[in-house]
Amino acid sequence: MRIWDAVIVGAGIIGLSLAIELRKTGVSVLIVEKGEPGREASWAAGGMLADFGLEIPSSLQALATASARLYPEFVHELEDESGLKIDLRPEGTLLILNEDPDHGLQESHPLPTSLETLEPALQTPAHPALFLNEQSVDPRHLTAAAIAAARHRGADFSSGDPVLAIEIIDGKAAGVRTNRTRFASAVVVNCAGAWAGQIGYDARVGTDASPVQAEHTSAAFFAVPTRPVKGQMLCVAMPEKNLVRHVVRTPNVYLIPRSDGRLLIGATQEEAGFDKQTVPQTLQKLRQAALDLVPKLADARILEAWAGLRPGTPDKLPILGATPTPGYYAATGHFRDGILLAPITAKSMASLISGGECLHDLSAFTAARFHLLAG
Ligand SMILES: Cc1cc2nc3c(=O)[nH]c(=O)nc-3n(C[C@H](O)[C@H](O)[C@H](O)COP(=O)(O)OP(=O)(O)OC[C@H]3O[C@@H](n4cnc5c(N)ncnc54)[C@H](O)[C@@H]3O)c2cc1C
């Protein structure tokens, strides 16, 4: 039986970028994906790289900003290794709040020129806009490039077969059991996004096939506390290619332009279990909110609508690092920011797993902050 240095569960942007980073250190990696790689939250995302302090938890700020800074290099590397183009746009974001921003914020985030010049099609908002020096990316291009780059770097894939359980032998991670087979590795990383909490464990002692006493292992196994948070969005073809050039974000809706003339309108945040159906009335509300901002979008043809499942956690922070089972790690729960946080997650987790110096303080994101739960 082949043994990998690391098995990663889940081929979303988090699992893929971690696989690439681990391959750089010479580690052999297998990514086990229940469906098709890169077709869940990482495919459904808008792709804003939003690290503005008012909009993210304060304990995530340093990691978010560090990750945003890594993006140009991250994209360059993926483009280079995959031969695919990724639409990374540095145009910036216009943020419109529900109330007048305080003066300090307006001074620290001034518009570089008038709003009419920046976005002529934008209806003058009720409150002044802040300008954020943010980038955005097309997550589908990003994920496709990450799949190709991971393959190019020699990562192995198993697709269409879910991991059912983490195998634990003598109290340590020993691999995964899927629906069809087993894969052996002393390092297993749970990057299964919204589904991360569904993965249980099989515990054995030595080569003995008998399960260890349940209470012993259940006390130590970390059941990852993620839950799905549904997001519906739609995509239209702008009547003029550059009708909207910046990301425009308000408390009700956001607009994300792509360089090919598409515009994403998003997104809801719903507690709806694992349901990924779109609802016409909900999409209509999003579209109306977009028309209120940019009336010329009335002529925009709807190209597509979809829903995806963000990996939410009880405290809205990701879960990054070791679990109480030696060799079993979690890198998930990135909620609304997994596209943004992919490069820093990959670098930090790869150095943690390979025993190197961890460049970032991950203490706010440890599994240990949650109670130890039975698997
Ligand atoms: C509508 C919407 C808009 C968003 N907008 C943004 C944004 O603008 N900016 C941003 O940074 N983030 C955004 N996000 C969040 C972002 O999409 C996620 O945080 C990120 O994609 C999480 O990546 P992931 O790899 O952890 O999860 P996923 O991409 O969901 O990947 C997890 C993978 O694990 C696989 N898997 C699950 N269970 C198993 C199993 N048992 N065995 C094997 N494989 C398994 C799944 O099939 C999946 O492929 C948005 C999300 C949504 C839904």
Side-chain angles (χ1 to χ4, degrees):
M1 188 182 184
R2 180 163 175 196
I3 300 175
W4 280 267
D5 295 330
V7 164
I8 292 174
V9 185
I13 195 61
I14 298 298
L16 291 164
S17 12
L18 175 58
I20 293 167
E21 214 48 53
L22 284 171
R23 284 298 302 136
K24 288 182 191 170
T25 65
V27 164
S28 65
V29 180
L30 171 70
I31 310 176
V32 186
E33 166 56 48
K34 71 175 168 58
E36 201 183 317
R39 293 290 296 187
E40 292 292 352
S42 305
W43 176 89
M48 295 177 290
L49 306 180
D51 68 333
F52 184 50
L54 281 186
E55 299 173 295
I56 54 169
S58 56
S59 44
L60 202 53
Q61 180 74 69
L63 210 65
T65 299
S67 208
R69 291 202 180 121
L70 288 174
Y71 243 90
E73 186 196 329
F74 179 58
V75 163
H76 178 74
E77 215 174 86
L78 291 182
E79 287 187 331
D80 207 36
E81 289 176 14
S82 67
L84 299 171
K85 292 303 280 178
I86 299 169
D87 190 18
L88 178 69
R89 290 171 58 92
E91 272 75 2
T93 293
L94 295 171
L95 178 68
I96 302 159
L97 300 168
N98 254 347
E99 54 189 24
D100 280 2
D102 70 39
H103 200 59
L105 275 178
Q106 276 184 269
E107 279 185 341
S108 55
H109 299 88
L111 300 183
T113 174
S114 74
L115 196 58
E116 297 70 42
T117 313
L118 286 172
E119 284 299 351
L122 193 68
Q123 188 94 302
T124 308
H127 304 285
L130 301 179
F131 183 82
L132 309 180
N133 208 356
E134 283 177 3
Q135 311 158 89
S136 67
V137 72
D138 183 330
R140 296 187 190 178
H141 291 183
L142 181 78
T143 307
I147 294 167
R151 288 211 164 97
H152 176 77
R153 286 235 174 223
D156 295 314
F157 282 77
S158 158
S159 304
D161 187 17
V163 168
L164 303 179
I166 310 299
E167 294 203 310
I168 302 173
I169 297 182
D170 294 339
K172 296 181 193 146
V176 296
R177 178 169 60 82
T178 71
N179 212 14
R180 293 201 294 257
T181 187
R182 326 183 109 84
F183 296 110
S185 176
V187 171
V188 177
V189 194
N190 187 334
C191 298
W195 298 263
Q198 293 183 339
I199 298 170
Y201 66 91
D202 281 346
R204 300 277 182 275
V205 180
T207 50
D208 185 352
S210 61
V212 291
Q213 286 183 345
E215 65 273 19
H216 166 71
T217 308
S218 68
F221 185 76
F222 178 66
V224 182
T226 49
R227 67 172 202 290
V229 181
K230 178 177 175 181
Q232 299 186 51
M233 62 195 310
L234 69 152
C235 175
V236 300
M238 289 188 272
E240 301 149 34
K241 197 170 169 191
N242 287 319
L243 182 71
V244 177
R245 287 181 45 241
H246 302 82
V247 168
V248 181
R249 207 155 58 234
T250 81
N252 307 326
V253 71
Y254 54 72
L255 309 179
I256 310 174
R258 303 277 192 243
S259 301
D260 62 5
R262 286 176 300 141
L263 181 80
L264 267 64
I265 302 171
T268 60
Q269 278 192 63
E270 304 165 59
E271 301 287 340
F274 288 91
D275 166 45
K276 287 196 292 180
Q277 299 284 324
T278 53
V279 179
Q281 294 88 327
T282 308
L283 295 171
Q284 179 50 31
K285 273 193 201 152
L286 282 172
R287 181 171 174 269
Q288 189 54 53
L291 294 192
D292 294 344
L293 273 178
V294 180
K296 277 191 176 174
L297 288 175
D299 300 330
R301 190 162 46 91
I302 297 178
L303 298 174
E304 200 186 343
W306 64 87
L309 302 176
R310 305 174 185 91
T313 62
D315 58 6
K316 300 190 174 158
L317 294 175
I319 304 165
L320 305 174
T323 76
T325 304
Y328 179 40
Y329 297 82
T332 188
H334 294 78
F335 191 35
R336 304 180 64 192
D337 302 308
I339 302 297
L340 167 66
L341 294 171
I344 199 75
T345 299
K347 282 200 186 297
S348 307
M349 288 298 300
S351 50
L352 190 73
I353 291 166
S354 51
E357 189 194 345
C358 198
L359 303 173
H360 288 274
D361 177 14
L362 300 180
S363 53
F365 313 114
T366 56
R369 72 188 192 271
F370 300 106
H371 295 297
L372 296 175
L373 302 167

